[in-house]
Amino acid sequence: MAQKLLTTVVHAIDTGIFIFLTEMHKMKINKNFIGGKWVLGEKYIDNINPSDINDNIGFYTQADIDQLELALDTAKTAQKQWAKVGLEKRYDILSKIGHELINESSRIGTILSREEGKTLAEGKGEVYRSGQFFTYYAAEVLRQKGETFASVRENIDIGIYREPLGVVAVISPWNFPMATAAWKIAPALAFGNSVLWKPANLTPASAIALTEIIAKQNVPEGLFQLIMGSGSELGDALVRNPKVDGISFTGSLDVGQKILVEASKNMTKIQMEMGSKNALVVSEDADIDIAVDASVIGAFGGTGQKCTASSRIVVDERVYDEFVEKFVSATSDLRVGNALCEDTQIGPVVSQTQLQSNLDYIKLGVYEGAELACGGKQLSLLSDGYYQSPAVFLKTNNTMQINREEMFAPIACVMKSGSHDESLAIVNDTSFGLMSGIITKSLARAEHFRKEAKTGCVMVNLPTAGTDYHVPFGGRGSSSFGSREQGQYAQEFYTSLKTVYKFSGVAES
Ligand code: NDP
């Protein structure tokens, strides 16, 4: 108890939030799930609703290093048991998790929107999609197969087997707090691995909601474990630990680069999805209404906090004026509001730090000579949250910092282009390479774009954001590292190949 009081005092001082110690016994702290049990760590954090900073969603424990070690040891034992479990049982469990997420998407989606700030439709849709990752990988459980080869030598057969990787660390970001984790956890379990999940500290409620569903399943204790804690401490200790067989990370480029260095010291297998600077091209023959819709959805969906966001819009000069007029008008009409209000089209940004970063980018854009056509202002609404009006910059060029750095913000930068080739060159002039898109009526131009765009995904007459769950997702350049996520391609990361040579002896005649 003395330790708990001390921690509370430290926490109160750290965060500036004064908590009456006499109220302590009433306070519920959400726990980590380690070794099949819900357990407290020594410290905790609180979770503030970005739509209303007076709404504290709850308190969430933080795992310490001893708990991490225990979790890793337990995960190793559990993985061995899980690898022996029949496929039908694995199928059933993943299927149950998926269906419960789908059935509960409205309730859990509301929790997700409350803590992340995306609209209710987006929050519920994300939970539903998370369920689909589990039902999809439930089906993949039954499709695991190997290969046989004839040998170049006599009387030898060769078999290629896939085996589980082992203990997988899943590190996920706040912007898709459940879907990103689901598209890693579901294949990891499907292919026979155990999982330690470190979610983003900004969105722990979604992590608890998913864990509660997984915790109900009849699986070995420690097969799936939730370890909440800060990225720079717990996350760092996790990626440095040699007991981890694989790390699947989604987050920023800076953190990804640090993790890569640490993982390389232990030669830990790694897969990473990081930042982006996606461009959408509006061709001279584009249907302008489709172009405007795709740009608005692509640039401002999820408050622009998506790795698939269209942050650069490259418009042919022949349709520039018409496009810009309609795009700026549609952007100005978007309703910014509390994520939990049904008619909100754009929720708040996730945190004060993110809001300040966005406002700094607005200042930078103006300083660089771009014209701010609309938005870019902090908004005071009925509830006190991190609201910003969606911004459109005109007269930008691809050398400006606002067109080179990932802002992760509701800010779109429009560039004018003289030709298809120039547009394509702008699309590819970036260190990232996740998404690109083109709006055109020409099949030939779309095909040319598809072949020449140096990105992992290409969209034709669609927003850059919005992907399916059964096909690979990932990028090139600084956007991704390692093998692709999602679909059957996920098995490249979550399994290890074994080539077996069998000498059958010389047959007696
Ligand atoms: P961060 O990189 O800050 O954090 C991602 C995760 O890593 C969090 O769980 C974080 O924990 C943890 N972490 C932080 N530092 C370390 C460390 N040193 N070692 C191990 N783990 C660490 O990203 P954000 O959460 O801010 O997410 C936004 C970023 O994610 C954007 O750059 C975006 O592009 C990218 N993203 C990419 C996607 C893709 O598929 N390409 C999809 C979605 C997002 P903590 O929260 O405690 O800091």
Side-chain angles (χ1 to χ4, degrees), residues 426-440:
I426 293 172
V427 168
N428 289 335
D429 179 17
T430 170
S431 58
F432 296 106
L434 183 59
M435 313 292 298
S436 60
I438 184 165
I439 311 293
T440 178

Side-chain angles (χ1 to χ4, degrees), residues 209-228:
L210 176 54
T211 302
E212 280 171 348
I213 293 176
I214 302 178
K216 284 189 223 164
Q217 311 304 323
N218 178 19
V219 294
E221 286 182 354
L223 179 73
F224 170 83
Q225 302 180 88
L226 172 71
I227 44 161
M228 296 178 287

Side-chain angles (χ1 to χ4, degrees), residues 172 174-175 198 200-201 231 235 250-252 273-274 307 406 408 473:
S172 55
W174 49 263
N175 70 325
K198 204 230 71 76
N201 248 352
T250 298
S252 61
E273 296 299 336
M274 296 161 289
C307 55
E406 182 181 49
F408 225 50
F473 174 72

Side-chain angles (χ1 to χ4, degrees), residues 139-406:
E140 284 302 311
V141 167
L142 302 178
R143 291 196 195 107
Q144 300 184 52
K145 54 185 193 281
E147 281 181 298
T148 57
F149 280 74
S151 172
V152 294
R153 290 173 280 167
E154 284 178 16
N155 298 319
I156 291 178
D157 289 318
I158 304 173
I160 314 286
Y161 296 78
R162 282 192 182 273
E163 295 183 350
L165 189 57
V167 175
V168 173
V170 166
I171 303 179
S172 55
W174 49 263
N175 70 325
F176 279 98
M178 191 173 286
T180 319
W183 80 54
K184 297 173 190 297
I185 295 166
L189 296 179
F191 296 119
N193 303 284
S194 57
V195 171
L196 257 77
W197 178 24
K198 204 230 71 76
N201 248 352
L202 277 172
T203 48
S206 304
I208 292 283
L210 176 54
T211 302
E212 280 171 348
I213 293 176
I214 302 178
K216 284 189 223 164
Q217 311 304 323
N218 178 19
V219 294
E221 286 182 354
L223 179 73
F224 170 83
Q225 302 180 88
L226 172 71
I227 44 161
M228 296 178 287
S230 97
S232 55
E233 290 171 24
L234 187 74
D236 181 60
L238 177 62
V239 299
R240 283 168 190 262
N241 200 303
K243 293 174 189 165
V244 175
D245 297 302
I247 301 166
S248 184
F249 167 80
T250 298
S252 61
L253 176 60
D254 286 355
V255 172
Q257 283 171 329
K258 277 188 209 152
I259 292 178
L260 184 58
V261 170
E262 295 309 327
S264 71
K265 293 178 185 163
N266 296 323
M267 303 299 276
T268 308
K269 192 172 180 184
I270 185 157
Q271 167 190 72
M272 302 196 293
E273 296 299 336
M274 296 161 289
S276 64
K277 199 67 196 173
N278 310 306
L280 178 72
V281 170
V282 180
S283 295
E284 47 134 341
D285 66 346
D287 178 318
I288 296 301
D289 290 333
I290 291 180
V292 169
D293 282 353
S295 303
V296 169
I297 293 167
F300 305 119
T303 321
Q305 302 172 137
K306 286 186 184 180
C307 55
T308 51
S310 317
S311 56
R312 298 182 295 151
I313 317 251
V314 187
V315 188
D316 191 288
E317 60 190 4
R318 283 156 284 193
V319 291
Y320 185 85
D321 290 345
E322 183 188 357
F323 171 82
V324 162
E325 190 194 330
K326 289 186 173 171
F327 179 48
V328 172
S329 162
T331 302
S332 308
D333 286 347
L334 290 170
R335 282 187 305 277
V336 179
N338 189 312
L340 300 183
C341 294
E342 289 287 353
D343 65 348
T344 291
Q345 291 175 306
I346 298 196
V349 302
V350 74
S351 64
Q352 177 60 40
T353 309
Q354 185 69 47
L355 178 61
Q356 192 53 54
S357 162
N358 298 358
L359 298 174
D360 289 347
Y361 271 116
I362 295 289
K363 272 194 210 144
L364 176 68
V366 172
Y367 174 77
E368 288 186 301
E371 178 188 317
L372 185 62
C374 66
K377 309 273 182 307
Q378 181 171 1
L379 300 175
S380 292
L381 303 181
L382 282 178
S383 56
D384 193 3
Y386 307 124
Y387 298 106
Q388 183 215 308
S389 50
V392 175
F393 272 127
L394 303 176
K395 298 187 181 156
T396 77
N397 66 60
N398 210 39
T399 62
M400 291 177 173
Q401 247 173 288
I402 51 170
N403 274 322
R404 305 214 71 83
E405 295 171 12
E406 182 181 49

